[in-house]
Amino acid sequence: MTEQKLEVKEKKEEFEPKIIGFLCNWCAYAGADLAGVSRIQYPANIRIIRVMCSGRVDPAFILEAFKNGADGVLVAGCHLPSDCHYLTGNFKALRRVLLLKKVLKEFGIEPERLRIEWVSASEGDRFATIIKEMVEEIKKLGPNPLKAGGKANV
Ligand code: FES
């Protein structure tokens, strides 16, 4: 392996992604809280923003997070189809995220950086698994192209 390739590999290994998580108050946030109180280990790469419902997450919040250098964004809410405390917020969130993934691609941001998941208040282990998976996936992608001054143009 050349010295340059070795250096790139080392940089990728050093890279610790910053993930912004928008978690709904009633399910996903409670799931994250359970992971915490149960002392389930997961990477400390996520910064959590509590919202009342995943349907409250405006696509502009997600774009703003990427613009400010987030390497990944997680939107997490109550399970489909009927756990949302506001009835259809989770469906709205899903529709928006799927649409936004297409838009991100146009901007040169890999759609895999944005993820939507359903986590109930009793699924602390599921929350931890999602974060572990997300960190691994984003480590493979590398830093947000906006941070690197690269190809993205939001
Ligand atoms: S209240 Fe949790 S997704 Fe709506």
Side-chain angles (χ1 to χ4, degrees):
M1 195 179 285
T2 67
E3 207 169 287
Q4 206 172 17
K5 277 185 181 174
L6 207 62
E7 201 172 293
V8 170
K9 195 179 171 219
E10 277 175 9
K11 273 191 179 171
K12 273 198 169 179
E13 281 169 6
E14 281 171 20
F15 166 60
E16 283 299 333
K18 281 191 193 133
I19 298 170
I20 299 296
F22 295 101
L23 309 187
C24 100
N25 180 59
W26 303 103
C27 295
Y29 187 85
D33 193 38
L34 181 65
V37 296
S38 310
R39 299 180 182 232
I40 300 170
Q41 297 288 314
Y42 65 89
N45 302 64
I46 186 162
R47 301 293 175 271
I48 293 172
I49 298 172
R50 177 160 47 164
V51 291
M52 288 311 285
C53 175
S54 62
R56 174 65 184 92
V57 181
D58 192 303
F61 299 169
I62 297 169
L63 289 174
E64 192 66 22
F66 281 120
K67 207 171 118 190
N68 286 321
D71 300 300
V73 175
L74 170 68
V75 177
C78 309
H79 279 276
L80 291 171
S82 55
D83 282 3
C84 175
H85 288 229
Y86 305 97
L87 306 177
T88 57
N90 49 2
F91 280 106
K92 285 179 184 156
L94 178 62
R95 223 172 35 219
R96 288 176 189 151
V97 165
L98 293 179
L99 201 65
L100 197 56
K101 277 175 171 274
K102 290 182 184 165
V103 175
L104 288 177
K105 205 173 178 182
E106 293 300 312
F107 288 149
I109 299 172
E110 300 88 345
E112 296 79 19
R113 292 182 186 277
L114 173 59
R115 192 161 164 172
I116 187 160
E117 292 290 345
W118 316 116
V119 179
S120 80
S122 61
E123 292 178 323
D125 51 349
R126 176 171 160 72
F127 178 78
T129 303
I130 289 166
I131 303 307
K132 283 179 203 161
E133 282 175 12
M134 212 173 160
V135 168
E136 283 313 307
E137 196 169 350
I138 294 173
K139 273 188 178 177
K140 283 182 203 149
L141 292 173
N144 175 348
L146 290 177
K147 264 198 308 204
K151 55 190 175 180
N153 47 12
V154 174

